Amino acid sequence: EAGVVQSPRYKIIEKKQPVAFWCNPISGHNTLYWYLQNLGQGPELLIRYENEEAVDDSQLPKDRFSAERLKGVDSTLKIQPAELGDSAVYLCASSYHGGGQNTGELFFGEGSRLTVL
Amino acid sequence: RKEVEQDPGPFNVPEGATVAFNCTYSNSASQSFFWYRQDCRKEPKLLMSVYSSGNEDGRFTAQLNRASQYISLLIRDSKLSDSATYLCVVDVGNTGKLIFGQGTTLQVKP
């Protein structure tokens, strides 16, 4: 079974340019997360979707970041315009959350490493 | 105060040593707790869940102390392959919002 697929793996852009990341979760997983991870830090939650609904986007810097999960399957995360401080690894994860139970097992993609020059 | 806090380390230990990591959380309504492992430049992967009664998986033991709001991970008989970053994860307020700690780096040396 295919895991969480993310693209691109690496992206180098100049500041003020736009960038977009794509994520395809594991089939059947209704919950999708976008995390940002800086070197030496743990992943920081940006946004969480349950199906197509963003149930928690309180950590998403909405002035420059946007995300969507059309049809409740794959998702895109966009930054426009990018700033130097946005250089990080953007991780997508998926899980199945239902029936009041949370197994806590997130399946992560390999991440998209962004460098802003 | 951060929702989930860990000592970043690094912990440098010899092979065969026993090492323990702690993690504190701020939301007393949290019900679900986990330890993840992350190898260098790789994605995090679930190591084990943490149950109220404590649980063991081979050389790894996880415990929860609700009164003091911390969880722990004990690794016995450390192997070189245990070298990684260990991330504490809390389902904050039992909402499905999974928050990661900063991670604790373990380096096991021959």
mmCIF file of all heavy atoms in Angstrom, chain A residues 33 35 37 40-43 45 48 56 58 97 102-106 108-110 113, chain B residues 2 32 34 36 38 41 43-44 46 49 87 91 95-103:
data_model
loop_
_atom_site.group_PDB
_atom_site.id
_atom_site.type_symbol
_atom_site.label_atom_id
_atom_site.label_comp_id
_atom_site.label_asym_id
_atom_site.label_seq_id
_atom_site.Cartn_x
_atom_site.Cartn_y
_atom_site.Cartn_z
ATOM 1 N N TYR A 33 -2.923 16.374 8.063
ATOM 2 C CA TYR A 33 -2.221 17.421 8.808
ATOM 3 C C TYR A 33 -1.095 17.997 7.947
ATOM 4 O O TYR A 33 -0.410 17.258 7.234
ATOM 5 C CB TYR A 33 -1.554 16.859 10.064
ATOM 6 C CG TYR A 33 -2.438 16.137 11.048
ATOM 7 C CD1 TYR A 33 -2.931 14.857 10.786
ATOM 8 C CD2 TYR A 33 -2.733 16.704 12.288
ATOM 9 C CE1 TYR A 33 -3.707 14.179 11.715
ATOM 10 C CE2 TYR A 33 -3.501 16.032 13.231
ATOM 11 C CZ TYR A 33 -3.982 14.773 12.933
ATOM 12 O OH TYR A 33 -4.750 14.105 13.873
ATOM 13 N N TYR A 35 2.373 20.020 8.860
ATOM 14 C CA TYR A 35 3.279 20.482 9.907
ATOM 15 C C TYR A 35 4.468 21.188 9.253
ATOM 16 O O TYR A 35 4.858 20.874 8.131
ATOM 17 C CB TYR A 35 3.830 19.323 10.724
ATOM 18 C CG TYR A 35 2.862 18.674 11.701
ATOM 19 C CD1 TYR A 35 2.035 17.631 11.302
ATOM 20 C CD2 TYR A 35 2.808 19.087 13.033
ATOM 21 C CE1 TYR A 35 1.167 17.025 12.201
ATOM 22 C CE2 TYR A 35 1.943 18.477 13.942
ATOM 23 C CZ TYR A 35 1.132 17.455 13.516
ATOM 24 O OH TYR A 35 0.273 16.852 14.419
ATOM 25 N N GLN A 37 8.552 21.943 10.112
ATOM 26 C CA GLN A 37 9.619 21.550 11.027
ATOM 27 C C GLN A 37 10.902 22.295 10.706
ATOM 28 O O GLN A 37 11.428 22.201 9.593
ATOM 29 C CB GLN A 37 9.872 20.042 10.984
ATOM 30 C CG GLN A 37 10.862 19.581 12.052
ATOM 31 C CD GLN A 37 10.965 18.084 12.180
ATOM 32 O OE1 GLN A 37 10.743 17.348 11.234
ATOM 33 N NE2 GLN A 37 11.318 17.603 13.385
ATOM 34 N N GLY A 40 16.256 21.071 14.357
ATOM 35 C CA GLY A 40 16.400 20.990 15.804
ATOM 36 C C GLY A 40 15.122 21.188 16.580
ATOM 37 O O GLY A 40 15.138 21.254 17.811
ATOM 38 N N GLN A 41 14.010 21.295 15.874
ATOM 39 C CA GLN A 41 12.721 21.491 16.526
ATOM 40 C C GLN A 41 11.770 20.358 16.169
ATOM 41 O O GLN A 41 11.973 19.644 15.189
ATOM 42 C CB GLN A 41 12.099 22.822 16.083
ATOM 43 C CG GLN A 41 12.943 24.043 16.385
ATOM 44 C CD GLN A 41 13.085 24.282 17.871
ATOM 45 O OE1 GLN A 41 12.133 24.189 18.628
ATOM 46 N NE2 GLN A 41 14.301 24.592 18.306
ATOM 47 N N GLY A 42 10.716 20.218 16.967
ATOM 48 C CA GLY A 42 9.693 19.255 16.617
ATOM 49 C C GLY A 42 8.749 19.834 15.578
ATOM 50 O O GLY A 42 8.744 21.049 15.337
ATOM 51 N N PRO A 43 7.966 18.989 14.931
ATOM 52 C CA PRO A 43 6.989 19.489 13.955
ATOM 53 C C PRO A 43 5.972 20.411 14.636
ATOM 54 O O PRO A 43 5.497 20.121 15.733
ATOM 55 C CB PRO A 43 6.314 18.208 13.451
ATOM 56 C CG PRO A 43 7.311 17.123 13.703
ATOM 57 C CD PRO A 43 7.990 17.511 14.987
ATOM 58 N N LEU A 45 2.271 22.221 14.179
ATOM 59 C CA LEU A 45 1.041 22.072 13.412
ATOM 60 C C LEU A 45 0.657 23.381 12.730
ATOM 61 O O LEU A 45 0.601 24.436 13.365
ATOM 62 C CB LEU A 45 -0.093 21.632 14.334
ATOM 63 C CG LEU A 45 -1.444 21.407 13.671
ATOM 64 C CD1 LEU A 45 -1.377 20.243 12.677
ATOM 65 C CD2 LEU A 45 -2.517 21.139 14.725
ATOM 66 N N ARG A 48 -5.110 21.303 10.278
ATOM 67 C CA ARG A 48 -5.621 19.936 10.331
ATOM 68 C C ARG A 48 -6.970 19.883 9.642
ATOM 69 O O ARG A 48 -7.834 20.724 9.909
ATOM 70 C CB ARG A 48 -5.746 19.485 11.779
ATOM 71 C CG ARG A 48 -6.399 18.133 11.985
ATOM 72 C CD ARG A 48 -6.227 17.660 13.429
ATOM 73 N NE ARG A 48 -6.878 18.535 14.392
ATOM 74 C CZ ARG A 48 -8.029 18.254 15.009
ATOM 75 N NH1 ARG A 48 -8.672 17.142 14.725
ATOM 76 N NH2 ARG A 48 -8.532 19.077 15.901
ATOM 77 N N ASP A 56 -8.840 22.887 12.352
ATOM 78 C CA ASP A 56 -7.921 23.647 13.184
ATOM 79 C C ASP A 56 -6.894 24.324 12.285
ATOM 80 O O ASP A 56 -6.014 23.663 11.760
ATOM 81 C CB ASP A 56 -7.225 22.727 14.201
ATOM 82 C CG ASP A 56 -6.372 23.506 15.206
ATOM 83 O OD1 ASP A 56 -6.101 24.697 14.981
ATOM 84 O OD2 ASP A 56 -5.977 22.899 16.217
ATOM 85 N N SER A 58 -5.615 27.440 13.412
ATOM 86 C CA SER A 58 -5.243 28.560 14.269
ATOM 87 C C SER A 58 -3.762 28.908 14.180
ATOM 88 O O SER A 58 -3.357 30.023 14.495
ATOM 89 C CB SER A 58 -5.613 28.246 15.724
ATOM 90 O OG SER A 58 -4.984 27.060 16.159
ATOM 91 N N HIS A 97 -9.294 9.073 12.015
ATOM 92 C CA HIS A 97 -9.790 9.533 13.304
ATOM 93 C C HIS A 97 -11.289 9.386 13.293
ATOM 94 O O HIS A 97 -11.988 10.053 12.543
ATOM 95 C CB HIS A 97 -9.401 10.994 13.522
ATOM 96 C CG HIS A 97 -9.732 11.502 14.896
ATOM 97 N ND1 HIS A 97 -10.060 12.817 15.162
ATOM 98 C CD2 HIS A 97 -9.775 10.875 16.101
ATOM 99 C CE1 HIS A 97 -10.290 12.965 16.449
ATOM 100 N NE2 HIS A 97 -10.119 11.803 17.048
ATOM 101 N N ASN A 102 -8.596 7.917 19.038
ATOM 102 C CA ASN A 102 -7.453 8.468 18.328
ATOM 103 C C ASN A 102 -6.268 7.562 18.592
ATOM 104 O O ASN A 102 -5.735 7.520 19.691
ATOM 105 C CB ASN A 102 -7.161 9.892 18.815
ATOM 106 C CG ASN A 102 -6.068 10.553 18.007
ATOM 107 O OD1 ASN A 102 -5.423 9.910 17.184
ATOM 108 N ND2 ASN A 102 -5.844 11.811 18.227
ATOM 109 N N THR A 103 -5.889 6.802 17.582
ATOM 110 C CA THR A 103 -4.760 5.898 17.772
ATOM 111 C C THR A 103 -3.455 6.667 17.882
ATOM 112 O O THR A 103 -2.466 6.115 18.349
ATOM 113 C CB THR A 103 -4.645 4.903 16.606
ATOM 114 O OG1 THR A 103 -4.297 5.630 15.412
ATOM 115 C CG2 THR A 103 -5.946 4.154 16.397
ATOM 116 N N GLY A 104 -3.468 7.920 17.435
ATOM 117 C CA GLY A 104 -2.247 8.720 17.508
ATOM 118 C C GLY A 104 -1.227 8.366 16.468
ATOM 119 O O GLY A 104 -0.143 8.926 16.463
ATOM 120 N N GLU A 105 -1.543 7.404 15.610
ATOM 121 C CA GLU A 105 -0.544 7.037 14.627
ATOM 122 C C GLU A 105 -0.730 7.893 13.389
ATOM 123 O O GLU A 105 -1.665 7.690 12.608
ATOM 124 C CB GLU A 105 -0.596 5.570 14.247
ATOM 125 C CG GLU A 105 0.519 5.199 13.278
ATOM 126 C CD GLU A 105 0.873 3.744 13.289
ATOM 127 O OE1 GLU A 105 0.052 2.934 13.744
ATOM 128 O OE2 GLU A 105 1.984 3.412 12.839
ATOM 129 N N LEU A 106 0.158 8.838 13.261
ATOM 130 C CA LEU A 106 0.213 9.652 12.059
ATOM 131 C C LEU A 106 1.207 9.025 11.106
ATOM 132 O O LEU A 106 2.287 8.596 11.519
ATOM 133 C CB LEU A 106 0.686 11.070 12.379
ATOM 134 C CG LEU A 106 -0.154 11.896 13.326
ATOM 135 C CD1 LEU A 106 0.442 13.297 13.473
ATOM 136 C CD2 LEU A 106 -1.577 11.987 12.852
ATOM 137 N N PHE A 108 3.506 9.931 8.096
ATOM 138 C CA PHE A 108 4.087 11.122 7.481
ATOM 139 C C PHE A 108 4.619 10.826 6.091
ATOM 140 O O PHE A 108 5.109 9.724 5.811
ATOM 141 C CB PHE A 108 5.256 11.650 8.316
ATOM 142 C CG PHE A 108 4.838 12.408 9.543
ATOM 143 C CD1 PHE A 108 4.599 11.748 10.733
ATOM 144 C CD2 PHE A 108 4.702 13.791 9.507
ATOM 145 C CE1 PHE A 108 4.222 12.456 11.876
ATOM 146 C CE2 PHE A 108 4.333 14.503 10.637
ATOM 147 C CZ PHE A 108 4.086 13.830 11.824
ATOM 148 N N GLY A 109 4.555 11.845 5.251
ATOM 149 C CA GLY A 109 5.296 11.802 4.001
ATOM 150 C C GLY A 109 6.747 12.148 4.273
ATOM 151 O O GLY A 109 7.136 12.454 5.413
ATOM 152 N N GLU A 110 7.555 12.109 3.230
ATOM 153 C CA GLU A 110 8.989 12.379 3.389
ATOM 154 C C GLU A 110 9.275 13.861 3.564
ATOM 155 O O GLU A 110 10.383 14.237 3.919
ATOM 156 C CB GLU A 110 9.751 11.826 2.198
ATOM 157 C CG GLU A 110 9.734 10.304 2.136
ATOM 158 C CD GLU A 110 10.518 9.776 0.959
ATOM 159 O OE1 GLU A 110 10.144 10.070 -0.196
ATOM 160 O OE2 GLU A 110 11.524 9.071 1.182
ATOM 161 N N ARG A 113 11.294 20.032 1.446
ATOM 162 C CA ARG A 113 12.279 20.933 2.040
ATOM 163 C C ARG A 113 12.345 22.210 1.233
ATOM 164 O O ARG A 113 12.705 22.184 0.057
ATOM 165 C CB ARG A 113 13.645 20.252 2.087
ATOM 166 C CG ARG A 113 14.720 21.072 2.808
ATOM 167 C CD ARG A 113 16.031 20.293 2.900
ATOM 168 N NE ARG A 113 15.864 19.087 3.699
ATOM 169 C CZ ARG A 113 15.995 19.007 5.006
ATOM 170 N NH1 ARG A 113 16.316 20.095 5.700
ATOM 171 N NH2 ARG A 113 15.833 17.863 5.633
ATOM 172 N N LYS B 2 4.859 26.337 26.787
ATOM 173 C CA LYS B 2 4.562 25.494 25.642
ATOM 174 C C LYS B 2 3.618 24.381 26.065
ATOM 175 O O LYS B 2 3.627 23.921 27.212
ATOM 176 C CB LYS B 2 5.853 24.894 25.085
ATOM 177 C CG LYS B 2 6.738 25.904 24.387
ATOM 178 C CD LYS B 2 7.942 25.215 23.775
ATOM 179 C CE LYS B 2 8.807 26.207 23.038
ATOM 180 N NZ LYS B 2 10.000 25.565 22.434
ATOM 181 N N SER B 32 -4.529 11.292 25.422
ATOM 182 C CA SER B 32 -3.746 10.377 24.594
ATOM 183 C C SER B 32 -2.331 10.911 24.415
ATOM 184 O O SER B 32 -2.143 12.100 24.138
ATOM 185 C CB SER B 32 -4.412 10.205 23.221
ATOM 186 O OG SER B 32 -5.732 9.729 23.365
ATOM 187 N N PHE B 34 1.887 9.833 23.118
ATOM 188 C CA PHE B 34 2.637 8.952 22.242
ATOM 189 C C PHE B 34 4.105 9.348 22.235
ATOM 190 O O PHE B 34 4.448 10.499 22.486
ATOM 191 C CB PHE B 34 2.086 9.049 20.804
ATOM 192 C CG PHE B 34 0.580 8.981 20.747
ATOM 193 C CD1 PHE B 34 -0.174 10.137 20.789
ATOM 194 C CD2 PHE B 34 -0.070 7.761 20.669
ATOM 195 C CE1 PHE B 34 -1.563 10.092 20.764
ATOM 196 C CE2 PHE B 34 -1.452 7.700 20.647
ATOM 197 C CZ PHE B 34 -2.206 8.865 20.697
ATOM 198 N N TYR B 36 7.215 9.275 19.427
ATOM 199 C CA TYR B 36 7.620 9.072 18.048
ATOM 200 C C TYR B 36 9.142 9.086 17.984
ATOM 201 O O TYR B 36 9.808 9.713 18.806
ATOM 202 C CB TYR B 36 7.073 10.196 17.152
ATOM 203 C CG TYR B 36 5.682 9.961 16.632
ATOM 204 C CD1 TYR B 36 4.593 9.966 17.488
ATOM 205 C CD2 TYR B 36 5.455 9.739 15.277
ATOM 206 C CE1 TYR B 36 3.316 9.745 17.011
ATOM 207 C CE2 TYR B 36 4.180 9.526 14.782
ATOM 208 C CZ TYR B 36 3.111 9.526 15.667
ATOM 209 O OH TYR B 36 1.846 9.304 15.180
ATOM 210 N N GLN B 38 12.369 9.931 15.308
ATOM 211 C CA GLN B 38 12.734 10.558 14.043
ATOM 212 C C GLN B 38 14.231 10.400 13.817
ATOM 213 O O GLN B 38 15.046 10.901 14.594
ATOM 214 C CB GLN B 38 12.345 12.039 14.020
ATOM 215 C CG GLN B 38 12.574 12.703 12.669
ATOM 216 C CD GLN B 38 12.017 14.108 12.581
ATOM 217 O OE1 GLN B 38 11.872 14.802 13.581
ATOM 218 N NE2 GLN B 38 11.655 14.543 11.372
ATOM 219 N N ARG B 41 17.054 13.523 9.127
ATOM 220 C CA ARG B 41 16.554 13.854 7.787
ATOM 221 C C ARG B 41 15.474 12.883 7.291
ATOM 222 O O ARG B 41 15.282 12.723 6.096
ATOM 223 C CB ARG B 41 17.708 13.945 6.794
ATOM 224 C CG ARG B 41 18.728 15.005 7.178
ATOM 225 C CD ARG B 41 19.840 15.093 6.163
ATOM 226 N NE ARG B 41 19.415 15.775 4.952
ATOM 227 C CZ ARG B 41 19.432 17.078 4.775
ATOM 228 N NH1 ARG B 41 19.843 17.877 5.736
ATOM 229 N NH2 ARG B 41 19.059 17.614 3.636
ATOM 230 N N GLU B 43 11.296 11.269 8.198
ATOM 231 C CA GLU B 43 10.049 11.678 8.809
ATOM 232 C C GLU B 43 9.846 10.973 10.153
ATOM 233 O O GLU B 43 10.376 9.888 10.376
ATOM 234 C CB GLU B 43 8.867 11.373 7.864
ATOM 235 C CG GLU B 43 8.544 9.905 7.678
ATOM 236 C CD GLU B 43 9.367 9.227 6.603
ATOM 237 O OE1 GLU B 43 10.452 9.739 6.230
ATOM 238 O OE2 GLU B 43 8.910 8.162 6.150
ATOM 239 N N PRO B 44 9.059 11.553 11.051
ATOM 240 C CA PRO B 44 8.774 10.902 12.332
ATOM 241 C C PRO B 44 7.928 9.647 12.132
ATOM 242 O O PRO B 44 7.081 9.588 11.232
ATOM 243 C CB PRO B 44 7.963 11.955 13.099
ATOM 244 C CG PRO B 44 8.208 13.244 12.394
ATOM 245 C CD PRO B 44 8.444 12.890 10.966
ATOM 246 N N LEU B 46 5.766 6.500 14.528
ATOM 247 C CA LEU B 46 5.272 6.129 15.836
ATOM 248 C C LEU B 46 6.154 5.055 16.465
ATOM 249 O O LEU B 46 6.409 4.016 15.854
ATOM 250 C CB LEU B 46 3.831 5.628 15.737
ATOM 251 C CG LEU B 46 3.188 5.190 17.049
ATOM 252 C CD1 LEU B 46 2.997 6.376 17.985
ATOM 253 C CD2 LEU B 46 1.859 4.493 16.788
ATOM 254 N N SER B 49 2.536 4.027 21.878
ATOM 255 C CA SER B 49 1.545 4.808 22.610
ATOM 256 C C SER B 49 1.857 4.707 24.093
ATOM 257 O O SER B 49 2.575 3.807 24.524
ATOM 258 C CB SER B 49 0.142 4.270 22.343
ATOM 259 O OG SER B 49 -0.143 4.290 20.958
ATOM 260 N N LEU B 87 10.445 12.106 19.993
ATOM 261 C CA LEU B 87 9.457 13.180 20.065
ATOM 262 C C LEU B 87 8.275 12.752 20.920
ATOM 263 O O LEU B 87 7.681 11.699 20.691
ATOM 264 C CB LEU B 87 8.959 13.523 18.657
ATOM 265 C CG LEU B 87 10.000 14.080 17.690
ATOM 266 C CD1 LEU B 87 9.573 13.854 16.251
ATOM 267 C CD2 LEU B 87 10.213 15.560 17.948
ATOM 268 N N ASP B 91 -2.182 14.473 22.443
ATOM 269 C CA ASP B 91 -3.463 14.862 21.853
ATOM 270 C C ASP B 91 -4.063 15.891 22.808
ATOM 271 O O ASP B 91 -4.676 15.537 23.813
ATOM 272 C CB ASP B 91 -4.368 13.654 21.709
ATOM 273 C CG ASP B 91 -5.705 13.985 21.051
ATOM 274 O OD1 ASP B 91 -6.056 15.192 20.959
ATOM 275 O OD2 ASP B 91 -6.404 13.056 20.637
ATOM 276 N N THR B 95 -8.675 16.302 21.545
ATOM 277 C CA THR B 95 -9.408 16.891 20.425
ATOM 278 C C THR B 95 -8.967 16.344 19.076
ATOM 279 O O THR B 95 -9.536 16.709 18.057
ATOM 280 C CB THR B 95 -9.185 18.417 20.394
ATOM 281 O OG1 THR B 95 -7.780 18.667 20.238
ATOM 282 C CG2 THR B 95 -9.696 19.073 21.675
ATOM 283 N N GLY B 96 -7.946 15.504 19.073
ATOM 284 C CA GLY B 96 -7.381 15.062 17.808
ATOM 285 C C GLY B 96 -6.278 15.985 17.325
ATOM 286 O O GLY B 96 -5.661 15.742 16.291
ATOM 287 N N LYS B 97 -6.036 17.050 18.075
ATOM 288 C CA LYS B 97 -4.945 17.970 17.731
ATOM 289 C C LYS B 97 -3.664 17.422 18.347
ATOM 290 O O LYS B 97 -3.468 17.480 19.557
ATOM 291 C CB LYS B 97 -5.259 19.351 18.298
ATOM 292 C CG LYS B 97 -4.200 20.406 18.032
ATOM 293 C CD LYS B 97 -4.649 21.752 18.601
ATOM 294 C CE LYS B 97 -3.614 22.827 18.358
ATOM 295 N NZ LYS B 97 -4.064 24.137 18.877
ATOM 296 N N LEU B 98 -2.798 16.888 17.510
ATOM 297 C CA LEU B 98 -1.575 16.247 17.988
ATOM 298 C C LEU B 98 -0.430 17.242 17.963
ATOM 299 O O LEU B 98 -0.034 17.717 16.898
ATOM 300 C CB LEU B 98 -1.264 15.026 17.133
ATOM 301 C CG LEU B 98 -2.291 13.883 17.261
ATOM 302 C CD1 LEU B 98 -2.035 12.807 16.228
ATOM 303 C CD2 LEU B 98 -2.250 13.282 18.655
ATOM 304 N N ILE B 99 0.079 17.540 19.152
ATOM 305 C CA ILE B 99 1.153 18.513 19.295
ATOM 306 C C ILE B 99 2.442 17.789 19.675
ATOM 307 O O ILE B 99 2.450 16.958 20.590
ATOM 308 C CB ILE B 99 0.799 19.566 20.360
ATOM 309 C CG1 ILE B 99 -0.464 20.327 19.942
ATOM 310 C CG2 ILE B 99 1.962 20.529 20.574
ATOM 311 C CD1 ILE B 99 -0.339 21.095 18.651
ATOM 312 N N PHE B 100 3.503 18.153 18.998
ATOM 313 C CA PHE B 100 4.805 17.538 19.220
ATOM 314 C C PHE B 100 5.658 18.403 20.141
ATOM 315 O O PHE B 100 5.617 19.628 20.073
ATOM 316 C CB PHE B 100 5.549 17.393 17.885
ATOM 317 C CG PHE B 100 5.040 16.286 17.009
ATOM 318 C CD1 PHE B 100 3.826 16.387 16.360
ATOM 319 C CD2 PHE B 100 5.794 15.139 16.818
ATOM 320 C CE1 PHE B 100 3.348 15.377 15.543
ATOM 321 C CE2 PHE B 100 5.334 14.119 16.008
ATOM 322 C CZ PHE B 100 4.114 14.230 15.368
ATOM 323 N N GLY B 101 6.447 17.726 20.962
ATOM 324 C CA GLY B 101 7.473 18.429 21.699
ATOM 325 C C GLY B 101 8.658 18.724 20.794
ATOM 326 O O GLY B 101 8.676 18.348 19.623
ATOM 327 N N GLN B 102 9.643 19.386 21.362
ATOM 328 C CA GLN B 102 10.828 19.776 20.599
ATOM 329 C C GLN B 102 11.656 18.573 20.187
ATOM 330 O O GLN B 102 12.377 18.622 19.187
ATOM 331 C CB GLN B 102 11.681 20.716 21.453
ATOM 332 C CG GLN B 102 12.961 21.191 20.806
ATOM 333 C CD GLN B 102 13.765 22.094 21.710
ATOM 334 O OE1 GLN B 102 13.369 22.389 22.827
ATOM 335 N NE2 GLN B 102 14.913 22.543 21.231
ATOM 336 N N GLY B 103 11.543 17.493 20.936
ATOM 337 C CA GLY B 103 12.354 16.316 20.650
ATOM 338 C C GLY B 103 13.574 16.245 21.546
ATOM 339 O O GLY B 103 14.152 17.278 21.913
#
